[in-house]
Amino acid sequence: MDCNFNTIPGRVYVGTDRGHISSYEFTGNKFDKVTEFVAHLEPIRSVTLHTKHKYLLTGGKDGSARIWDCNTKGHPRVIGNLACHKENVTRLVFISDEIVVSSSWDQTVACWKMKDLLEKYVPE
């Protein structure tokens, strides 16, 4: 299985070649699966977590990138679709609390302001 993962204390987020994200909680000396959900239509190539604010970035082979709110109950809720790439999104990073950057096999780099993404997001 081709996968990417990232962690916050006590929790791991794993992206799979089926386009799913699974989250596991570390209890005692083992991981227990908490949830699994469809995040992309093709394999996930990048998973990045902002540990302070608990936002998850995922990038797929289909060229899509998404940002998720991990502060919700159950599986994370999508905050925004970061669309601009035509091929695999290979890397997503939080440059700061304010900027997200992505790169792709299509040789493009994109930048988003968190403020713009969060203005449209209304937590449940």
Side-chain angles (χ1 to χ4, degrees):
M1 171 179 16
D2 183 20
C3 68
N4 269 294
F5 70 95
N6 212 308
T7 65
I8 57 176
R11 183 165 288 189
V12 174
Y13 291 91
V14 179
T16 72
D17 59 354
R18 297 182 329 235
H20 293 193
I21 293 285
S22 298
S23 68
Y24 299 85
E25 285 191 354
F26 189 69
T27 53
N29 61 352
K30 65 181 178 115
F31 284 100
D32 294 315
K33 187 183 248 183
V34 174
T35 187
E36 181 173 330
F37 59 96
V38 177
H40 295 269
L41 299 177
E42 293 190 38
I44 293 177
R45 297 294 187 222
S46 181
V47 176
T48 304
L49 190 62
H50 192 296
T51 56
K52 179 179 171 187
H53 298 293
K54 297 185 181 168
Y55 296 130
L56 183 70
L57 297 170
T58 60
K61 181 180 176 185
D62 58 3
S64 67
R66 294 189 174 88
I67 184 166
W68 306 81
D69 182 354
C70 296
N71 291 299
T72 60
K73 300 260 187 215
H75 69 73
R77 184 172 166 210
V78 75
I79 293 173
N81 293 303
L82 315 176
C84 83
H85 298 294
K86 295 180 178 131
E87 295 183 34
N88 285 339
V89 175
T90 55
R91 187 80 165 118
L92 290 151
V93 295
F94 290 97
I95 297 297
S96 66
D97 284 350
E98 300 162 3
I99 303 291
V100 172
V101 174
S102 63
S103 64
S104 169
W105 280 5
D106 64 12
Q107 300 181 5
T108 61
V109 175
C111 183
W112 291 273
K113 292 181 182 177
M114 284 296 296
K115 178 183 164 204
D116 295 342
L117 296 168
L118 296 175
E119 280 178 357
K120 300 172 189 171
Y121 176 62
V122 178
E124 293 179 341

